[in-house]
Amino acid sequence: MSIVRDMSLAEYGRMKIAWVQDYMPALSAIRARFEKEKPFAGKKITMSIHMEAKTAYLALCLAAGGAEVHATGCNPLSTQDDVAAGLASMGVNVYCWHGATAEEYESHLIAALSCRPHLIIDDGGDLLDLLSGKCAELGENIIGGCEETTTGIHRLKARAAAGKLPFPMMNVNDAKCKHYYDNKYGTGQSVWDAIMHTTNLLVAGKTVVVAGYGYCGRGVAMRAKGMGANVIVTEIDPIKALEATMDGCRVMPMDDAASEGDIFVTTTGCKDVIVRRHMEKMKDNAFLSNAGHFNVEVNGDDLAALAVRVYPRRNEIMGYELADGRTLNLLAEGRLVNLASGNGHPAEIMDTSFAIQSLSLEYMLHNGANLEKNVHEVPKAIDDAVSLLKLEGNGLKIDTLTPEQKAYMSGWEV
């Protein structure tokens, strides 16, 4: 039985799911095949992923393939209660609600695993953490699974290196159809959608500090520049730092950037990116936000310790007044701002990411028993198949090599 906040919200949740379906042609094409072939018949799938409309459509796609789907969130503030209710009303087992406490959040994860699934989809590694520890017995049937995000991949690889990964996992995050589009273009747009909606302030003319220049950071910086911001990038990787300078950004350590920024966006996946010594230098009314999976990049304890008063300023904006009269603004409790304060990535972007998820899970179903307990890359054939489905869904075509061209390209003497 589903555990959701309010089933009376189901109608609006179903409306939101129906809306995104129209903009996800690749996943819809896969769903049509799944409905015919039923590859997941007799199997149970547990998903821990941001509970919003695009995710709900992925769950329905897997259910159409014959699976018994159990879905929960992966972040207490990214769950949309209307979508959770809508999905539950459509036959998926759902266990989550917005603003869950740490104890409630874990109980929802455990409830989703209690079916003893055959396959999992994880986003950030919380399912895997439970299955590797206190809930190991709930993983007795698991063939394998997929991981959606950078933070989760870091956690998976650490477990694999220590020989403690209990079953094989697919690295969906690093599939080209995921990180090229989702991390860069999806994060780039959704972060600014959320920040602009939450603050109702201009981006143009402001100095934006982007911590990290991976694909997420590149997208955030690119969109900020496009809206007229002055962009500073902080990095630990010299190659990425050099790339940022060639993309027109200034590069400096956070110790130097702290006094210059009007808006800070962390995209590193690491902890303590912004700490007390940085906060002590910041301008009055600077905005602190995080686009990494966990709320550890902006050190909330340091911010609270500096404050003489903490008070709400707008929805999802908490003001921290310091002893000298300055106020620093923390968005979405330092959690994933684009989902905790917004609607997440656009449907057209998540179409490719969730198409990769669905085909990778099908691959794991058929091959997991023969794979090592390690982190496995998504096969190129799946990336290519999703790209072609997406192009076709957008009414686009590409060239192909003629036999003569293929012979030319492969005919060099070595």
Side-chain angles (χ1 to χ4, degrees), residues 210-252:
V210 180
Y213 207 65
Y215 279 94
C216 293
R218 291 170 197 165
V220 171
M222 175 178 66
R223 293 299 180 221
K225 285 194 298 177
M227 289 185 288
N230 303 301
V231 179
I232 295 171
V233 168
T234 70
E235 247 301 341
I236 61 168
D237 185 321
I239 300 297
K240 292 177 182 176
L242 187 58
E243 180 181 3
T245 66
M246 294 186 178
D247 286 342
C249 304
R250 288 190 288 160
V251 173
M252 63 184 71

Side-chain angles (χ1 to χ4, degrees), residues 41-361:
K43 296 295 187 283
K44 298 176 182 178
I45 298 173
T46 293
M47 304 168 55
S48 170
I49 198 165
H50 300 288
M51 182 53 66
E52 46 82 41
K54 286 87 69 179
T55 301
Y57 189 47
L58 170 62
L60 293 173
C61 175
L62 299 174
E68 178 186 312
V69 180
H70 296 254
T72 186
C74 66
N75 185 308
L77 292 187
S78 67
T79 291
Q80 297 180 12
D81 287 327
D82 51 1
V83 172
L87 185 59
S89 75
M90 300 170 81
V92 173
N93 305 282
V94 180
Y95 318 91
C96 56
W97 56 57
H98 181 83
T101 65
E103 293 76 17
E104 289 170 339
Y105 173 70
E106 184 175 278
S107 74
H108 294 159
L109 292 170
I110 294 172
L113 287 171
S114 294
C115 67
R116 286 176 161 77
H118 300 94
L119 297 159
I120 66 167
I121 292 178
D122 213 354
D123 190 327
D126 286 343
L127 285 182
L128 210 292
D129 191 51
L130 287 170
L131 289 167
S132 299
K134 65 188 294 184
C135 297
E137 75 283 358
L138 299 180
E140 62 186 2
N141 297 324
I142 292 182
I143 300 165
C146 299
E147 170 57 52
E148 170 80 6
T149 198
T150 306
T151 297
I153 294 302
H154 289 327
R155 297 176 80 181
L156 282 182
K157 289 184 175 179
R159 288 193 182 280
K164 295 181 179 179
L165 195 60
F167 42 78
M169 291 288 290
M170 293 287 285
N171 178 5
V172 169
N173 181 72
D174 289 343
K176 290 183 179 179
C177 271
K178 201 279 184 183
H179 71 265
Y180 277 14
Y181 309 122
D182 180 321
N183 293 18
K184 184 177 181 181
Y185 299 102
T187 305
Q189 178 165 320
S190 64
V191 160
W192 290 110
D193 283 347
I195 291 174
M196 290 188 295
H197 172 76
T198 303
T199 65
N200 194 30
L201 296 174
L202 272 173
V203 177
K206 289 187 170 63
T207 296
V208 170
V209 178
V210 180
Y213 207 65
Y215 279 94
C216 293
R218 291 170 197 165
V220 171
M222 175 178 66
R223 293 299 180 221
K225 285 194 298 177
M227 289 185 288
N230 303 301
V231 179
I232 295 171
V233 168
T234 70
E235 247 301 341
I236 61 168
D237 185 321
I239 300 297
K240 292 177 182 176
L242 187 58
E243 180 181 3
T245 66
M246 294 186 178
D247 286 342
C249 304
R250 288 190 288 160
V251 173
M252 63 184 71
M254 184 62 76
D255 285 338
D256 297 332
S259 60
E260 298 202 29
D262 299 301
I263 302 173
F264 294 80
V265 185
T266 57
T267 68
T268 71
C270 193
K271 64 178 290 190
D272 293 341
V273 179
I274 296 177
V275 295
R276 182 181 184 121
R277 71 177 187 275
H278 304 132
M279 299 165 185
E280 290 173 338
K281 299 178 180 179
M282 288 180 179
K283 297 177 182 178
D284 182 33
N285 265 326
F287 289 90
L288 308 179
S289 65
N290 169 48
H293 187 80
F294 292 117
N295 58 330
V296 297
E297 303 201 26
V298 179
N299 191 307
D301 291 338
D302 283 358
L303 189 55
L306 280 172
V308 295
R309 181 166 74 113
V310 180
Y311 62 103
R313 305 199 69 187
R314 283 173 62 93
N315 286 340
E316 301 299 344
I317 301 179
M318 193 65 71
Y320 289 76
E321 183 181 337
L322 309 186
D324 61 7
R326 287 179 299 127
T327 295
L328 302 182
N329 301 292
L330 181 65
L331 275 62
E333 300 178 12
R335 296 186 183 274
L336 195 60
V337 69
N338 55 336
L339 279 150
S341 294
N343 288 305
H345 294 356
E348 299 98 327
I349 288 292
M350 296 313 296
D351 187 26
T352 56
S353 293
F354 287 162
I356 289 284
Q357 278 281 24
S358 60
L359 294 185
S360 294
L361 206 64

Side-chain angles (χ1 to χ4, degrees), residues 399-411:
D399 287 321
T400 57
L401 294 175
T402 66
E404 292 79 9
Q405 287 174 318
K406 289 180 181 179
Y408 173 79
M409 295 299 291
S410 62

Side-chain angles (χ1 to χ4, degrees), residues 367-390:
N367 299 282
N370 298 316
L371 294 175
E372 293 181 4
K373 295 178 180 180
N374 209 332
V375 182
H376 299 270
E377 302 305 314
V378 172
K380 183 178 183 298
I382 291 178
D383 250 334
D384 290 345
V386 169
S387 295
L388 290 170
L389 284 173
K390 186 66 170 177

